[in-house]
Structure formats: C-alpha cells, structure tokens
C-alpha cells in the first residue's frame, strides 16, 4: 500500500509539473499572439480586442475615451534611403519612446506598417491633445544614429461619441490623421464628428 501511495504522489508531482509547463507555454503563446514581434508593443489583433472592451466600459460608465492614431512621416523615404533595417530601428525607437511616455492604464500598439494607435481611457480630447503634442515633440527630438534628417510623426485624435463603435472611432481617428498629413505633417489634428 505504501508503494502505491508513493507512486500516486510521484504521478501527482509529475502532473503538477506538466500542468505548470502547459500554463507557461499557453502564456507564451498568448503573448506571441498579442505582441508585435518588431516593436514589442500590442499588435492590431490585441488592440482590436482591447478597444472593444474599453469602448464598452467607457459608454457604460459615461467616461471619456480618446484615440490617437500616429503615423511616422515619410517612412517609405527612410526605408528607401537607409534600408529596411534602419526603418525597423526607427519603428522600434519611436515605439519605445511612446511606450515610456504613457500612463500605466493607457494602451499602445502597432496598428500596421508605420502606424500606431494609442487608447487613452478616462481622457477627454483636450488632455489627449496634450499627450499627443508631448509625444510629437519627443519624437521630433530623437536622434537616430545614421540618419541625417529629423524624423517626425503626425497624430490624428478623436474622442468617443455615444453612438461610436470600433469602426467609427478608428475611422474618425484615421480621418484626423490624414488631415494632419494634408496640413503639412508633424502636427496633431482633432476630428470629433
């Protein structure tokens, strides 16, 4: 009987060990699924899940929520002039700069190519503008080793409206971003309707 108990204890320990390994593997898989491999920030897949939750929460509790779309100006020129490796370096450096500059509750991710998104819970458009302008200035001051010209970014901002969904708020943020691009780049623009 003692031998049987020892075997059960050994099997239980082995199962606990395997369960821990599976849990660690699952955590790793989830991280890989939700993280942009180049910049280390959330990817579009994760952002879409998060923004859905944040919109729902903000609407339910009648809290402000702002979205900031960020696009690196003339990024194709950077890749064409300095190569894709340098372009990757620029993306990483800008992502790190923004990530270090936001609050813990803010959500930041790569939305595609050279475009990023910042979700600012409990933040009205005036405060969001201050955040975006601070980011714009920080990016403008970054010195990129091996690049002569200044790298800048354009910012499109919007605030959650009562009838918004993911598609409408992102579209409005993109429209604000294109407005910033059309008005000369390296600027922040707001679109509220």
């Amino acid at each position: 009987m003692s031998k049987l108990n020892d075997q059960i204890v050994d099997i239980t320990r082995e199962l606990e060990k395997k369960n821990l390994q599976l849990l660690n593997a699952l955590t790793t898989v989830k991280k890989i699924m939700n993280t942009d491999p180049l910049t280390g920030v959330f990817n579009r897949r994760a952002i879409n899940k998060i923004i859905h939750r944040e919109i729902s929460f903000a609407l339910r509790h009648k809290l402000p929520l702002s979205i900031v779309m960020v696009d690196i100006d003339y990024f194709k020129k950077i890749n064409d002039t300095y190569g894709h490796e340098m372009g990757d370096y620029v993306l990483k450096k800008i992502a790190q700069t923004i990530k270090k500059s936001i609050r813990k509750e803010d959500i930041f991710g790569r939305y595609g190519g050279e475009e990023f998104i910042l979700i600012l819970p409990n933040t009205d458009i005036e405060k969001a503008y201050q955040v975006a302008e601070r980011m714009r200035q920080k990016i403008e001051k970054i010195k990129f080793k091996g690049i002569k010209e200044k790298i800048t970014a354009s910012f499109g901002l919007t605030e959650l409206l009562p009838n918004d969904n993911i598609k409408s708020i992102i579209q409005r943020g993109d429209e604000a971003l294109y407005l910033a691009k059309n008005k000369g780049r390296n600027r922040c623009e707001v679109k509220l309707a």
Side-chain angles (χ1 to χ4, degrees):
M1 193 64 151
S2 174
K3 188 175 181 179
L4 184 59
N5 281 339
D6 288 346
Q7 287 177 331
I8 290 171
V9 167
D10 288 343
I11 290 169
T12 302
R13 282 188 188 137
E14 190 61 31
L15 280 173
E16 287 172 352
K17 184 178 170 184
K18 293 292 182 193
N19 283 338
L20 184 58
Q21 289 172 343
L22 282 172
L23 185 61
N24 288 337
L26 181 62
T27 301
T28 300
V29 167
K30 282 183 180 179
K31 184 175 181 180
I32 290 169
M33 285 175 43
N34 293 317
T35 304
D36 175 60
L38 179 65
T39 60
V41 299
F42 284 122
N43 62 21
R44 186 175 186 151
R45 180 181 187 280
I47 287 293
N48 284 336
K49 283 192 289 186
I50 293 167
I51 197 170
H52 178 73
R53 183 187 70 223
E54 292 297 326
I55 288 171
S56 183
F57 185 85
L59 289 173
R60 184 172 50 253
H61 297 286
K62 297 181 182 2
L63 296 170
L65 174 76
S66 293
I67 301 292
V68 181
M69 304 301 288
V70 183
D71 191 78
I72 302 170
D73 297 328
Y74 303 109
F75 187 73
K76 184 180 180 333
K77 186 178 175 187
I78 296 166
N79 275 337
D80 291 348
T81 305
Y82 299 100
H84 290 281
E85 195 172 307
M86 184 61 78
D88 289 350
Y89 167 67
V90 168
L91 285 169
K92 286 188 248 183
K93 187 90 168 162
I94 287 176
Q96 289 169 1
T97 299
I98 293 173
K99 192 172 181 179
K100 288 179 186 174
S101 303
I102 59 176
R103 304 172 301 181
K104 193 175 186 177
E105 62 268 24
D106 297 335
I107 299 113
F108 175 61
R110 187 171 177 197
Y111 208 64
E114 67 275 10
E115 190 172 3
F116 296 92
I117 186 170
L118 185 56
I119 303 165
L120 303 171
N122 204 19
T123 306
D124 63 26
I125 199 67
E126 289 82 17
K127 292 267 193 296
Y129 190 89
Q130 292 171 6
V131 169
E133 183 59 26
R134 191 174 66 244
M135 300 291 167
R136 188 194 65 73
Q137 291 173 14
K138 282 184 178 196
I139 291 169
E140 186 179 43
K141 291 177 184 171
I142 299 172
K143 302 285 188 224
F144 294 95
K145 189 176 179 179
I147 297 180
K148 297 172 200 156
E149 54 269 12
K150 181 171 49 171
I151 305 295
T152 61
S154 298
F155 294 75
L157 296 82
T158 194
E159 186 175 18
L160 183 67
L161 301 175
N163 294 325
D164 266 332
N165 57 39
I166 294 171
K167 186 178 178 182
S168 62
I169 195 169
I170 295 291
Q171 181 178 344
R172 213 168 42 256
D174 272 337
E175 289 169 4
L177 178 61
Y178 286 112
L179 189 60
K181 294 279 189 186
N182 290 333
K183 287 188 171 185
R185 303 182 195 288
N186 190 26
R187 59 185 298 126
C188 302
E189 288 293 332
V190 174
K191 186 161 179 19
L192 294 175

PDB file of all heavy atoms in Angstrom, residues 10 18 22-23 28 31 33 38 42 47 50 57 70 72 75 81 85 88 92 99-100 111 160 164 172 176 180-181 185:
ATOM      1  N   ASP A  10       4.180  10.477  -6.766  1.00  0.00           N
ATOM      2  CA  ASP A  10       5.084  10.754  -7.889  1.00  0.00           C
ATOM      3  C   ASP A  10       4.308  11.187  -9.138  1.00  0.00           C
ATOM      4  O   ASP A  10       4.688  12.144  -9.822  1.00  0.00           O
ATOM      5  CB  ASP A  10       5.944   9.528  -8.220  1.00  0.00           C
ATOM      6  CG  ASP A  10       7.007   9.253  -7.166  1.00  0.00           C
ATOM      7  OD1 ASP A  10       7.288  10.170  -6.357  1.00  0.00           O
ATOM      8  OD2 ASP A  10       7.550   8.124  -7.146  1.00  0.00           O
ATOM      9  N   LYS A  18       3.862  19.072 -15.280  1.00  0.00           N
ATOM     10  CA  LYS A  18       3.391  19.168 -16.672  1.00  0.00           C
ATOM     11  C   LYS A  18       2.354  20.282 -16.814  1.00  0.00           C
ATOM     12  O   LYS A  18       2.362  21.016 -17.806  1.00  0.00           O
ATOM     13  CB  LYS A  18       2.794  17.840 -17.152  1.00  0.00           C
ATOM     14  CG  LYS A  18       3.790  16.710 -17.279  1.00  0.00           C
ATOM     15  CD  LYS A  18       4.755  16.978 -18.408  1.00  0.00           C
ATOM     16  CE  LYS A  18       5.715  15.800 -18.554  1.00  0.00           C
ATOM     17  NZ  LYS A  18       6.850  16.125 -19.410  1.00  0.00           N
ATOM     18  N   LEU A  22       2.562  23.484 -19.232  1.00  0.00           N
ATOM     19  CA  LEU A  22       1.494  23.841 -20.167  1.00  0.00           C
ATOM     20  C   LEU A  22       1.022  25.277 -19.940  1.00  0.00           C
ATOM     21  O   LEU A  22       0.779  26.021 -20.898  1.00  0.00           O
ATOM     22  CB  LEU A  22       0.313  22.877 -20.023  1.00  0.00           C
ATOM     23  CG  LEU A  22       0.467  21.515 -20.673  1.00  0.00           C
ATOM     24  CD1 LEU A  22      -0.687  20.596 -20.274  1.00  0.00           C
ATOM     25  CD2 LEU A  22       0.535  21.642 -22.186  1.00  0.00           C
ATOM     26  N   LEU A  23       0.889  25.667 -18.687  1.00  0.00           N
ATOM     27  CA  LEU A  23       0.478  27.027 -18.353  1.00  0.00           C
ATOM     28  C   LEU A  23       1.502  28.042 -18.866  1.00  0.00           C
ATOM     29  O   LEU A  23       1.139  29.064 -19.452  1.00  0.00           O
ATOM     30  CB  LEU A  23       0.288  27.171 -16.838  1.00  0.00           C
ATOM     31  CG  LEU A  23      -0.246  28.500 -16.345  1.00  0.00           C
ATOM     32  CD1 LEU A  23      -1.633  28.774 -16.925  1.00  0.00           C
ATOM     33  CD2 LEU A  23      -0.307  28.501 -14.831  1.00  0.00           C
ATOM     34  N   THR A  28       3.067  32.020 -23.034  1.00  0.00           N
ATOM     35  CA  THR A  28       3.976  32.403 -24.111  1.00  0.00           C
ATOM     36  C   THR A  28       3.229  32.538 -25.434  1.00  0.00           C
ATOM     37  O   THR A  28       3.413  33.517 -26.167  1.00  0.00           O
ATOM     38  CB  THR A  28       5.120  31.374 -24.249  1.00  0.00           C
ATOM     39  OG1 THR A  28       5.834  31.322 -23.011  1.00  0.00           O
ATOM     40  CG2 THR A  28       6.073  31.744 -25.371  1.00  0.00           C
ATOM     41  N   LYS A  31       1.148  35.676 -25.439  1.00  0.00           N
ATOM     42  CA  LYS A  31       1.998  36.850 -25.609  1.00  0.00           C
ATOM     43  C   LYS A  31       2.411  37.002 -27.070  1.00  0.00           C
ATOM     44  O   LYS A  31       2.354  38.092 -27.632  1.00  0.00           O
ATOM     45  CB  LYS A  31       3.239  36.758 -24.709  1.00  0.00           C
ATOM     46  CG  LYS A  31       4.094  37.992 -24.766  1.00  0.00           C
ATOM     47  CD  LYS A  31       5.238  37.945 -23.800  1.00  0.00           C
ATOM     48  CE  LYS A  31       6.023  39.245 -23.903  1.00  0.00           C
ATOM     49  NZ  LYS A  31       7.145  39.293 -23.023  1.00  0.00           N
ATOM     50  N   MET A  33       0.826  35.885 -29.683  1.00  0.00           N
ATOM     51  CA  MET A  33      -0.359  36.212 -30.467  1.00  0.00           C
ATOM     52  C   MET A  33      -0.749  37.686 -30.358  1.00  0.00           C
ATOM     53  O   MET A  33      -1.349  38.236 -31.273  1.00  0.00           O
ATOM     54  CB  MET A  33      -1.550  35.354 -30.021  1.00  0.00           C
ATOM     55  CG  MET A  33      -1.482  33.926 -30.482  1.00  0.00           C
ATOM     56  SD  MET A  33      -2.826  32.887 -29.832  1.00  0.00           S
ATOM     57  CE  MET A  33      -4.257  33.905 -29.990  1.00  0.00           C
ATOM     58  N   LEU A  38       8.321  43.024 -33.869  1.00  0.00           N
ATOM     59  CA  LEU A  38       9.379  44.007 -34.096  1.00  0.00           C
ATOM     60  C   LEU A  38       9.492  45.010 -32.953  1.00  0.00           C
ATOM     61  O   LEU A  38      10.570  45.248 -32.426  1.00  0.00           O
ATOM     62  CB  LEU A  38       9.145  44.750 -35.421  1.00  0.00           C
ATOM     63  CG  LEU A  38      10.173  45.828 -35.748  1.00  0.00           C
ATOM     64  CD1 LEU A  38      11.552  45.207 -35.981  1.00  0.00           C
ATOM     65  CD2 LEU A  38       9.733  46.629 -36.953  1.00  0.00           C
ATOM     66  N   PHE A  42       1.643  45.990 -28.286  1.00  0.00           N
ATOM     67  CA  PHE A  42       0.484  45.223 -28.746  1.00  0.00           C
ATOM     68  C   PHE A  42       0.394  45.262 -30.272  1.00  0.00           C
ATOM     69  O   PHE A  42       0.740  46.267 -30.895  1.00  0.00           O
ATOM     70  CB  PHE A  42      -0.818  45.797 -28.168  1.00  0.00           C
ATOM     71  CG  PHE A  42      -1.057  45.470 -26.729  1.00  0.00           C
ATOM     72  CD1 PHE A  42      -1.213  46.484 -25.794  1.00  0.00           C
ATOM     73  CD2 PHE A  42      -1.150  44.156 -26.307  1.00  0.00           C
ATOM     74  CE1 PHE A  42      -1.439  46.196 -24.462  1.00  0.00           C
ATOM     75  CE2 PHE A  42      -1.388  43.853 -24.976  1.00  0.00           C
ATOM     76  CZ  PHE A  42      -1.522  44.872 -24.050  1.00  0.00           C
ATOM     77  N   ILE A  47      -5.074  44.957 -30.034  1.00  0.00           N
ATOM     78  CA  ILE A  47      -5.683  46.289 -29.924  1.00  0.00           C
ATOM     79  C   ILE A  47      -7.177  46.217 -30.211  1.00  0.00           C
ATOM     80  O   ILE A  47      -7.985  46.824 -29.505  1.00  0.00           O
ATOM     81  CB  ILE A  47      -4.983  47.285 -30.877  1.00  0.00           C
ATOM     82  CG1 ILE A  47      -3.602  47.654 -30.334  1.00  0.00           C
ATOM     83  CG2 ILE A  47      -5.828  48.528 -31.112  1.00  0.00           C
ATOM     84  CD1 ILE A  47      -3.595  48.458 -29.049  1.00  0.00           C
ATOM     85  N   ILE A  50      -8.912  44.880 -27.183  1.00  0.00           N
ATOM     86  CA  ILE A  50      -8.838  45.827 -26.068  1.00  0.00           C
ATOM     87  C   ILE A  50      -9.760  47.021 -26.307  1.00  0.00           C
ATOM     88  O   ILE A  50     -10.481  47.454 -25.398  1.00  0.00           O
ATOM     89  CB  ILE A  50      -7.384  46.294 -25.841  1.00  0.00           C
ATOM     90  CG1 ILE A  50      -6.530  45.115 -25.353  1.00  0.00           C
ATOM     91  CG2 ILE A  50      -7.334  47.451 -24.846  1.00  0.00           C
ATOM     92  CD1 ILE A  50      -5.034  45.380 -25.397  1.00  0.00           C
ATOM     93  N   PHE A  57     -16.764  49.786 -21.771  1.00  0.00           N
ATOM     94  CA  PHE A  57     -16.627  50.285 -20.399  1.00  0.00           C
ATOM     95  C   PHE A  57     -16.906  51.786 -20.329  1.00  0.00           C
ATOM     96  O   PHE A  57     -17.639  52.259 -19.461  1.00  0.00           O
ATOM     97  CB  PHE A  57     -15.223  49.970 -19.864  1.00  0.00           C
ATOM     98  CG  PHE A  57     -15.032  50.328 -18.421  1.00  0.00           C
ATOM     99  CD1 PHE A  57     -15.407  49.453 -17.418  1.00  0.00           C
ATOM    100  CD2 PHE A  57     -14.469  51.552 -18.061  1.00  0.00           C
ATOM    101  CE1 PHE A  57     -15.238  49.781 -16.075  1.00  0.00           C
ATOM    102  CE2 PHE A  57     -14.302  51.891 -16.729  1.00  0.00           C
ATOM    103  CZ  PHE A  57     -14.685  51.004 -15.732  1.00  0.00           C
ATOM    104  N   VAL A  70      -1.163  57.445 -34.811  1.00  0.00           N
ATOM    105  CA  VAL A  70       0.167  58.009 -35.003  1.00  0.00           C
ATOM    106  C   VAL A  70       0.780  57.379 -36.253  1.00  0.00           C
ATOM    107  O   VAL A  70       0.765  56.159 -36.401  1.00  0.00           O
ATOM    108  CB  VAL A  70       1.085  57.701 -33.789  1.00  0.00           C
ATOM    109  CG1 VAL A  70       2.449  58.359 -33.956  1.00  0.00           C
ATOM    110  CG2 VAL A  70       0.432  58.091 -32.473  1.00  0.00           C
ATOM    111  N   ILE A  72       4.318  57.655 -38.782  1.00  0.00           N
ATOM    112  CA  ILE A  72       5.642  58.234 -38.995  1.00  0.00           C
ATOM    113  C   ILE A  72       5.662  58.898 -40.370  1.00  0.00           C
ATOM    114  O   ILE A  72       5.305  58.280 -41.374  1.00  0.00           O
ATOM    115  CB  ILE A  72       6.743  57.152 -38.890  1.00  0.00           C
ATOM    116  CG1 ILE A  72       6.680  56.485 -37.515  1.00  0.00           C
ATOM    117  CG2 ILE A  72       8.122  57.762 -39.145  1.00  0.00           C
ATOM    118  CD1 ILE A  72       7.553  55.253 -37.378  1.00  0.00           C
ATOM    119  N   PHE A  75       7.895  57.674 -44.018  1.00  0.00           N
ATOM    120  CA  PHE A  75       8.576  56.440 -43.617  1.00  0.00           C
ATOM    121  C   PHE A  75       9.130  55.672 -44.818  1.00  0.00           C
ATOM    122  O   PHE A  75      10.207  55.084 -44.742  1.00  0.00           O
ATOM    123  CB  PHE A  75       7.636  55.549 -42.803  1.00  0.00           C
ATOM    124  CG  PHE A  75       8.317  54.348 -42.231  1.00  0.00           C
ATOM    125  CD1 PHE A  75       9.199  54.472 -41.169  1.00  0.00           C
ATOM    126  CD2 PHE A  75       8.113  53.086 -42.767  1.00  0.00           C
ATOM    127  CE1 PHE A  75       9.865  53.372 -40.646  1.00  0.00           C
ATOM    128  CE2 PHE A  75       8.758  51.981 -42.245  1.00  0.00           C
ATOM    129  CZ  PHE A  75       9.639  52.126 -41.185  1.00  0.00           C
ATOM    130  N   THR A  81      15.908  55.213 -48.506  1.00  0.00           N
ATOM    131  CA  THR A  81      17.203  55.885 -48.386  1.00  0.00           C
ATOM    132  C   THR A  81      18.198  55.103 -47.533  1.00  0.00           C
ATOM    133  O   THR A  81      19.365  54.967 -47.882  1.00  0.00           O
ATOM    134  CB  THR A  81      17.017  57.303 -47.777  1.00  0.00           C
ATOM    135  OG1 THR A  81      16.074  58.017 -48.570  1.00  0.00           O
ATOM    136  CG2 THR A  81      18.330  58.058 -47.733  1.00  0.00           C
ATOM    137  N   GLU A  85      16.427  47.780 -42.515  1.00  0.00           N
ATOM    138  CA  GLU A  85      16.968  47.577 -41.164  1.00  0.00           C
ATOM    139  C   GLU A  85      16.916  48.885 -40.371  1.00  0.00           C
ATOM    140  O   GLU A  85      16.539  48.906 -39.206  1.00  0.00           O
ATOM    141  CB  GLU A  85      18.408  47.055 -41.241  1.00  0.00           C
ATOM    142  CG  GLU A  85      18.909  46.489 -39.936  1.00  0.00           C
ATOM    143  CD  GLU A  85      20.253  45.799 -40.094  1.00  0.00           C
ATOM    144  OE1 GLU A  85      20.385  44.923 -40.967  1.00  0.00           O
ATOM    145  OE2 GLU A  85      21.160  46.147 -39.326  1.00  0.00           O
ATOM    146  N   ASP A  88      13.334  49.582 -39.493  1.00  0.00           N
ATOM    147  CA  ASP A  88      12.949  48.811 -38.305  1.00  0.00           C
ATOM    148  C   ASP A  88      13.451  49.479 -37.028  1.00  0.00           C
ATOM    149  O   ASP A  88      12.742  49.543 -36.023  1.00  0.00           O
ATOM    150  CB  ASP A  88      13.494  47.381 -38.387  1.00  0.00           C
ATOM    151  CG  ASP A  88      12.792  46.529 -39.421  1.00  0.00           C
ATOM    152  OD1 ASP A  88      11.756  46.955 -39.972  1.00  0.00           O
ATOM    153  OD2 ASP A  88      13.285  45.409 -39.684  1.00  0.00           O
ATOM    154  N   LYS A  92      11.160  50.795 -33.909  1.00  0.00           N
ATOM    155  CA  LYS A  92      11.395  50.351 -32.524  1.00  0.00           C
ATOM    156  C   LYS A  92      11.643  51.536 -31.594  1.00  0.00           C
ATOM    157  O   LYS A  92      11.095  51.593 -30.497  1.00  0.00           O
ATOM    158  CB  LYS A  92      12.595  49.398 -32.464  1.00  0.00           C
ATOM    159  CG  LYS A  92      12.319  48.024 -33.011  1.00  0.00           C
ATOM    160  CD  LYS A  92      13.489  47.096 -32.736  1.00  0.00           C
ATOM    161  CE  LYS A  92      14.160  46.730 -34.015  1.00  0.00           C
ATOM    162  NZ  LYS A  92      15.266  45.791 -33.875  1.00  0.00           N
ATOM    163  N   LYS A  99       5.941  54.356 -25.612  1.00  0.00           N
ATOM    164  CA  LYS A  99       5.599  53.443 -24.517  1.00  0.00           C
ATOM    165  C   LYS A  99       6.112  53.950 -23.169  1.00  0.00           C
ATOM    166  O   LYS A  99       5.429  53.841 -22.158  1.00  0.00           O
ATOM    167  CB  LYS A  99       6.152  52.048 -24.812  1.00  0.00           C
ATOM    168  CG  LYS A  99       5.605  50.993 -23.895  1.00  0.00           C
ATOM    169  CD  LYS A  99       6.022  49.613 -24.331  1.00  0.00           C
ATOM    170  CE  LYS A  99       5.420  48.592 -23.396  1.00  0.00           C
ATOM    171  NZ  LYS A  99       5.770  47.239 -23.765  1.00  0.00           N
ATOM    172  N   LYS A 100       7.303  54.528 -23.166  1.00  0.00           N
ATOM    173  CA  LYS A 100       7.881  55.054 -21.922  1.00  0.00           C
ATOM    174  C   LYS A 100       7.178  56.313 -21.438  1.00  0.00           C
ATOM    175  O   LYS A 100       7.327  56.699 -20.287  1.00  0.00           O
ATOM    176  CB  LYS A 100       9.373  55.378 -22.121  1.00  0.00           C
ATOM    177  CG  LYS A 100      10.257  54.177 -22.228  1.00  0.00           C
ATOM    178  CD  LYS A 100      11.691  54.608 -22.456  1.00  0.00           C
ATOM    179  CE  LYS A 100      12.590  53.423 -22.717  1.00  0.00           C
ATOM    180  NZ  LYS A 100      13.953  53.831 -23.079  1.00  0.00           N
ATOM    181  N   TYR A 111      -0.543  49.458 -35.245  1.00  0.00           N
ATOM    182  CA  TYR A 111      -1.786  49.186 -35.945  1.00  0.00           C
ATOM    183  C   TYR A 111      -1.541  48.708 -37.367  1.00  0.00           C
ATOM    184  O   TYR A 111      -2.409  48.162 -38.010  1.00  0.00           O
ATOM    185  CB  TYR A 111      -2.681  50.430 -35.915  1.00  0.00           C
ATOM    186  CG  TYR A 111      -4.143  50.089 -35.981  1.00  0.00           C
ATOM    187  CD1 TYR A 111      -4.757  49.374 -34.959  1.00  0.00           C
ATOM    188  CD2 TYR A 111      -4.907  50.451 -37.073  1.00  0.00           C
ATOM    189  CE1 TYR A 111      -6.090  49.042 -35.024  1.00  0.00           C
ATOM    190  CE2 TYR A 111      -6.249  50.130 -37.143  1.00  0.00           C
ATOM    191  CZ  TYR A 111      -6.840  49.422 -36.122  1.00  0.00           C
ATOM    192  OH  TYR A 111      -8.165  49.079 -36.194  1.00  0.00           O
ATOM    193  N   LEU A 160     -14.433  59.426 -28.024  1.00  0.00           N
ATOM    194  CA  LEU A 160     -15.591  58.538 -28.114  1.00  0.00           C
ATOM    195  C   LEU A 160     -16.893  59.324 -28.062  1.00  0.00           C
ATOM    196  O   LEU A 160     -17.082  60.166 -27.183  1.00  0.00           O
ATOM    197  CB  LEU A 160     -15.550  57.528 -26.956  1.00  0.00           C
ATOM    198  CG  LEU A 160     -16.651  56.476 -26.930  1.00  0.00           C
ATOM    199  CD1 LEU A 160     -16.526  55.515 -28.107  1.00  0.00           C
ATOM    200  CD2 LEU A 160     -16.597  55.704 -25.609  1.00  0.00           C
ATOM    201  N   ASP A 164     -20.690  55.573 -30.991  1.00  0.00           N
ATOM    202  CA  ASP A 164     -19.497  55.001 -31.607  1.00  0.00           C
ATOM    203  C   ASP A 164     -19.397  53.497 -31.426  1.00  0.00           C
ATOM    204  O   ASP A 164     -19.892  52.925 -30.450  1.00  0.00           O
ATOM    205  CB  ASP A 164     -18.228  55.637 -31.024  1.00  0.00           C
ATOM    206  CG  ASP A 164     -17.715  56.800 -31.840  1.00  0.00           C
ATOM    207  OD1 ASP A 164     -17.949  56.833 -33.062  1.00  0.00           O
ATOM    208  OD2 ASP A 164     -17.082  57.693 -31.242  1.00  0.00           O
ATOM    209  N   ARG A 172     -12.668  57.804 -37.700  1.00  0.00           N
ATOM    210  CA  ARG A 172     -12.544  59.228 -37.390  1.00  0.00           C
ATOM    211  C   ARG A 172     -11.101  59.577 -37.002  1.00  0.00           C
ATOM    212  O   ARG A 172     -10.574  60.625 -37.388  1.00  0.00           O
ATOM    213  CB  ARG A 172     -13.522  59.605 -36.280  1.00  0.00           C
ATOM    214  CG  ARG A 172     -14.043  60.990 -36.395  1.00  0.00           C
ATOM    215  CD  ARG A 172     -15.225  61.329 -35.505  1.00  0.00           C
ATOM    216  NE  ARG A 172     -15.141  60.830 -34.153  1.00  0.00           N
ATOM    217  CZ  ARG A 172     -15.825  59.774 -33.700  1.00  0.00           C
ATOM    218  NH1 ARG A 172     -16.641  59.101 -34.474  1.00  0.00           N
ATOM    219  NH2 ARG A 172     -15.692  59.394 -32.443  1.00  0.00           N
ATOM    220  N   ALA A 176      -8.656  62.188 -38.987  1.00  0.00           N
ATOM    221  CA  ALA A 176      -7.883  63.242 -38.326  1.00  0.00           C
ATOM    222  C   ALA A 176      -6.401  63.114 -38.676  1.00  0.00           C
ATOM    223  O   ALA A 176      -5.709  64.122 -38.901  1.00  0.00           O
ATOM    224  CB  ALA A 176      -8.081  63.180 -36.811  1.00  0.00           C
ATOM    225  N   ALA A 180      -3.935  65.797 -40.591  1.00  0.00           N
ATOM    226  CA  ALA A 180      -2.601  66.219 -40.140  1.00  0.00           C
ATOM    227  C   ALA A 180      -1.573  66.060 -41.259  1.00  0.00           C
ATOM    228  O   ALA A 180      -0.719  66.936 -41.455  1.00  0.00           O
ATOM    229  CB  ALA A 180      -2.182  65.414 -38.906  1.00  0.00           C
ATOM    230  N   LYS A 181      -1.661  64.967 -41.990  1.00  0.00           N
ATOM    231  CA  LYS A 181      -0.735  64.737 -43.111  1.00  0.00           C
ATOM    232  C   LYS A 181      -0.933  65.812 -44.186  1.00  0.00           C
ATOM    233  O   LYS A 181       0.024  66.365 -44.707  1.00  0.00           O
ATOM    234  CB  LYS A 181      -0.965  63.355 -43.725  1.00  0.00           C
ATOM    235  CG  LYS A 181      -0.634  62.198 -42.822  1.00  0.00           C
ATOM    236  CD  LYS A 181       0.834  61.924 -42.822  1.00  0.00           C
ATOM    237  CE  LYS A 181       1.137  60.625 -42.088  1.00  0.00           C
ATOM    238  NZ  LYS A 181       2.576  60.423 -41.961  1.00  0.00           N
ATOM    239  N   ARG A 185       2.087  67.647 -42.091  1.00  0.00           N
ATOM    240  CA  ARG A 185       2.755  66.623 -41.265  1.00  0.00           C
ATOM    241  C   ARG A 185       3.373  67.225 -39.993  1.00  0.00           C
ATOM    242  O   ARG A 185       3.343  68.418 -39.794  1.00  0.00           O
ATOM    243  CB  ARG A 185       3.809  65.857 -42.060  1.00  0.00           C
ATOM    244  CG  ARG A 185       3.254  65.190 -43.313  1.00  0.00           C
ATOM    245  CD  ARG A 185       4.341  64.401 -44.023  1.00  0.00           C
ATOM    246  NE  ARG A 185       4.033  64.019 -45.376  1.00  0.00           N
ATOM    247  CZ  ARG A 185       3.169  63.100 -45.772  1.00  0.00           C
ATOM    248  NH1 ARG A 185       2.470  62.446 -44.901  1.00  0.00           N
ATOM    249  NH2 ARG A 185       2.988  62.820 -47.036  1.00  0.00           N
TER     250      ARG A 185
END
